[in-house]
Amino acid sequence: MEYFAKNNRRDDFAIVCTSTLELGIDIGSVDQVIQVDATHTISSLIQRVGRSGRKDGAVSKLSLFATTPMTMLQSLVCWNLYCHKYIEPPFSIQCPYDLLAHQAISIVKSTNGIGAQRLVQALKSNFAFSHLPENEIREIVDHLVQTDIFEKIQHELIIGMEGEKIVNKRDFYSSFVREINLKVFHKSQAIGELQLNPLLEEDTNILLAARIWKIVEIDWKARKIYVVPAHDGQKPRFEGKSGAIHREICREMYRILLTDDTFEPLDPESVAVLSQLRKNYEPYRNLDFHHERPLVSTLKACYLHLFMGSRETEALQFLFQQVGVKQDINANCILTFGEDAAEITEKWSMLPELYNSLDSLLADWLLQHPEGISFSKWGYLLPLSYQVRLLREKKFDFVGAAEILEGIGLVSV
């Protein structure tokens, strides 16, 4: 496995590849795979390596072209962890309430009418939902009746008026979520689109169409963002969403930056890049790797080098929002704040107190941002309390965030 870090005339990193190669697409058996930048999981990287060398006696080979120092480091970590026989554990859902709601609608549609108790029993007998309490299943079925997804005729449930709108769509039987984008407008002119991200906020800057814009209004229902040209000199805070990264990958990135380990797969230029990254982290080498993270202050902003997984970091971002702290994230490793280090440290100590009212905070947030459940195709069908449970299980890792708040201290440097 090779890593290439090529400088261009602006002294940053550029993709180096030929236009005839299809990146990430396997066409038969190929001699090698070209990967641009890091995969988000170790399993994805190994799967792509396996797309080459399929012939008898052939060797799998992947060449990775990094466009930034951090993506090179992340790629190196994924490969290094795999060499040490580590692959991130599968992410499983213990309470798939959204799929239960979809299955309930499917059963009612296929039977053209079924008793409520029979429906509950049919769902309970499904292996995927057998561990869910019967009263929870019944509560979701009752909610579907109240929202006119189902209509009750004497002792039977049939598809209601709102349910007809759902079952008659051609994508009813799929559970995959299509990517949702928000159209961005300046005055009446459309200038592009951004991926839906509930953490987008008004009065922040974004980079789009080679210009920096300030968000003045977000119409979540219409999926539109209204902007004006930004003239305040503030750095754009939103650069799109990336794939979820496991905490072990981020932690290993931080560990490598604080050590002098060498790695054979790196070419000489990449070795130089890694050396420069380590020089940037030289002031933090005396910190306790397991229990401390640097909080770096500059004239413009404050940076928390967190190096934790995506879901834990998103949970921390949500908690910071609740105490009025705006922040941006860079590849799940660095949080950027507008406040000074003393204020961030004070707010950090306040975050654990929010766990006492976490469900109500999430419920209020969902009422203001109903698009927050859009990661689940059928989550919007559920009662609000079950949407909150789905958020806690599938989107935010508040358990992991609590471990971070309890076990990691911020050190101002």
Side-chain angles (χ1 to χ4, degrees), residues 132-151:
L132 297 179
E134 187 172 314
N135 66 299
E136 292 186 354
I137 298 176
R138 186 177 293 107
E139 188 175 346
I140 292 173
V141 170
D142 290 343
H143 179 76
L144 294 175
V145 174
Q146 295 168 11
T147 53
D148 205 25
I149 305 298
F150 294 154
E151 182 179 349

Side-chain angles (χ1 to χ4, degrees), residues 18 52 60 76 87 104 135 142 201 269 300 310 313 320 344 360 373:
T18 65
S52 66
S60 296
L76 174 61
I87 297 180
N135 66 299
D142 290 343
E201 295 179 328
E269 291 179 80
K300 293 184 177 180
S310 301
T313 304
F320 269 122
I344 296 303
S360 61
I373 199 68

Side-chain angles (χ1 to χ4, degrees), residues 165-182:
K165 299 176 184 178
I166 296 172
V167 300
N168 289 331
K169 292 182 179 179
R170 61 184 179 181
D171 65 343
F172 169 66
Y173 288 103
S174 72
S175 294
F176 298 102
V177 179
R178 292 181 298 175
E179 182 180 287
I180 299 175
N181 292 332
L182 281 72

Side-chain angles (χ1 to χ4, degrees), residues 104 170 207 308:
R170 61 184 179 181
L207 177 64
M308 286 295 174

Side-chain angles (χ1 to χ4, degrees), residues 92-148:
S92 59
I93 302 300
Q94 299 302 314
C95 298
Y97 298 118
D98 50 345
L99 296 182
L100 184 143
H102 176 250
Q103 186 64 24
I105 299 172
S106 299
I107 293 173
V108 174
K109 176 178 171 59
S110 63
T111 57
N112 289 319
I114 184 174
Q117 186 57 32
R118 281 185 57 201
L119 175 60
V120 171
Q121 291 303 320
L123 292 167
K124 182 68 176 176
S125 64
N126 187 314
F127 175 78
F129 316 123
S130 59
H131 63 289
L132 297 179
E134 187 172 314
N135 66 299
E136 292 186 354
I137 298 176
R138 186 177 293 107
E139 188 175 346
I140 292 173
V141 170
D142 290 343
H143 179 76
L144 294 175
V145 174
Q146 295 168 11
T147 53
D148 205 25

Side-chain angles (χ1 to χ4, degrees), residues 95 164 182 185 237 240 293:
C95 298
E164 290 287 349
L182 281 72
F185 290 87
R237 290 185 51 234
R293 290 293 186 272

